Amino acid sequence: MTSSLAEIPVTSSERSRDRRRKKKKAHARSRAQQNSESCYAKWKSESQQQLYSSKLVQALSQIRLGDTAAPPRGRTVREAADRALAFAAKGKTRWSRAILTNRVKLRFGKQRRPGSTSAVAALTGSSRSKKPKVSVLRLKGKSLPTVQKKVKVLGRLVPGCRKEPLPVILEEATDYIAALEMQVRAMSALTRILSSAGPSSSSAIDAVSDPPPSG
Amino acid sequence: MSSRRSHSRQSGSSRITEDQIADLVSKLQRLIPELRNRHSDKVSASKVLQETCNYIRSLHKEVDDLSERLSELLASLETDSDQAAIIRSLLM
């Protein structure tokens, strides 16, 4: 066994540390007015990545068991990864709620908005469904068309932010970028582990660790 | 009476000022690896937003590539059930 397997340990000592870290983080977040910085730290933390990795692995194993006939497509894996990421966000951001809402819609058919928001609230335990009614037109000074245009493009990239006002889009984008970076880190670690443990690469491992004697 | 524009127009719960927007933009700038080294004064908001969009797109692409790779790995794992059982017990 390679030591890289220790990258994803799920031991009880880690969990107690996670709980303490989460309590500290929740306390800091409630105190701090500008929570975007602690949000970024949250996505950088080990506990968050472990939570995401275990959720992702769960989802991936479900894919394999449920669909043994056809091999899993990249699209399916991507959706599972996004779902796990949105779950890790715990419903506190719009993009995570939008991702979960989209999945719920696809599962149960086209649901109306009130139904899907209540379903999302049930999933994530969050009751925030109100949006501040600040329209973009009221912002003074930011009537520069380039900035507006670019923020609109950004709003299309971040899920669930197409109709949001400018500051909301910027806030969501900061959290979304940090979350995406964590997703990339977790998925690359998982890929490394799976590719080193897979049967097709066992010869590669032999070549790396034990160069064949020449001659 | 001096007219305070920031007070009169906003009837919503949140007052959005230029400073807040500049603050959000600078926070965004700190996250983007390409713009992190430059001084925030010299980078315009539109450039920050442009780089943000590019960065998000590149992250999406990376996630897509990783998903493809993971799906291939999962497919290759399915062919060997012993390996799959070991890996499953290790990862869960």
Side-chain angles (χ1 to χ4, degrees):
Chain A
M1 295 297 134
T2 58
S3 59
S4 60
L5 281 170
E7 281 173 8
I8 307 188
V10 189
T11 59
S12 53
S13 60
E14 290 282 342
R15 283 212 194 94
S16 56
R17 230 181 295 156
D18 295 347
R19 261 181 262 129
R20 262 183 279 133
R21 227 178 282 167
K22 275 186 191 153
K23 269 195 213 152
K24 243 191 279 175
K25 281 234 161 55
H27 189 64
R29 224 181 301 156
S30 61
R31 266 192 308 150
Q33 257 186 336
Q34 295 176 349
N35 52 9
S36 15
E37 282 177 354
S38 55
C39 277
Y40 183 58
K42 166 186 108 171
W43 287 114
K44 275 261 194 192
S45 71
E46 279 283 320
S47 59
Q48 193 72 347
Q49 189 162 336
Q50 280 167 15
L51 167 68
Y52 175 73
S53 303
S54 47
K55 208 71 189 110
L56 179 61
V57 163
Q58 246 176 31
L60 289 178
S61 63
Q62 276 167 7
I63 294 178
R64 286 174 56 219
L65 294 174
D67 206 359
T68 47
R73 316 246 350 169
R75 179 80 209 156
T76 322
V77 175
R78 170 79 202 265
E79 284 172 6
D82 285 344
R83 262 205 308 271
L85 191 66
F87 182 82
K90 297 189 182 66
K92 291 205 168 62
T93 50
R94 274 182 191 78
W95 62 262
S96 58
R97 291 198 290 272
I99 290 181
L100 293 173
T101 312
N102 282 338
R103 308 295 173 228
V104 166
K105 265 196 220 153
L106 285 171
R107 270 191 168 182
F108 299 121
K110 300 280 179 176
Q111 272 193 352
R112 296 307 303 161
R113 276 240 182 108
S116 45
T117 44
S118 65
V120 171
L123 279 172
T124 58
S126 133
S127 54
R128 275 184 53 197
S129 49
K130 290 218 168 123
K131 297 174 193 177
K133 301 254 196 267
V134 180
S135 72
V136 190
L137 297 168
R138 285 192 182 163
L139 300 166
K140 64 179 175 83
K142 282 302 166 188
S143 49
L144 303 168
T146 27
V147 173
Q148 291 278 32
K149 228 189 328 172
K150 296 212 191 297
V151 170
K152 269 212 191 310
V153 171
L154 191 56
R156 278 205 300 270
L157 279 176
V158 179
C161 291
R162 274 179 206 235
K163 295 181 190 163
E164 303 291 338
L166 190 141
V168 170
I169 295 183
L170 292 181
E171 245 186 272
E172 292 284 317
T174 13
D175 194 64
Y176 189 54
I177 288 182
L180 279 180
E181 285 175 352
M182 188 214 73
Q183 187 179 31
V184 165
R185 275 200 303 273
M187 286 176 75
S188 345
L190 193 58
T191 312
R192 270 204 307 274
I193 290 177
L194 282 181
S195 61
S196 66
S200 52
S201 317
S202 52
S203 53
I205 292 180
D206 290 341
V208 166
S209 58
D210 222 347
S214 53
Chain B
M1 302 262 190
S2 56
S3 58
R4 301 226 174 254
R5 277 184 285 177
S6 56
H7 280 276
S8 60
R9 285 210 200 148
Q10 313 293 348
S11 59
S13 51
S14 50
R15 291 183 201 141
I16 311 298
T17 61
E18 284 257 9
D19 294 337
Q20 274 179 307
I21 294 181
D23 197 31
L24 287 170
V25 168
S26 69
K27 275 209 187 70
L28 208 45
Q29 184 189 335
R30 281 201 286 272
L31 285 184
I32 299 169
E34 287 175 353
L35 300 175
R36 218 175 288 171
N37 306 325
R38 307 201 201 160
H39 285 295
S40 40
D41 304 338
K42 297 183 187 164
V43 185
S44 67
S46 74
K47 176 121 176 82
V48 173
L49 292 171
Q50 181 67 48
E51 291 302 324
T52 309
C53 295
N54 294 343
Y55 190 49
I56 291 184
R57 280 196 205 107
S58 74
L59 283 175
H60 277 171
K61 173 120 186 18
E62 221 175 318
V63 171
D64 278 333
D65 292 342
L66 283 171
S67 308
E68 280 292 333
R69 183 97 183 92
L70 271 178
S71 67
E72 287 169 18
L73 286 171
L74 288 176
S76 72
L77 278 179
E78 272 174 42
T79 57
D80 194 341
S81 56
D82 286 341
Q83 286 265 0
I86 293 173
I87 289 167
R88 228 179 301 161
S89 59
L90 283 169
L91 289 177
M92 302 307 166

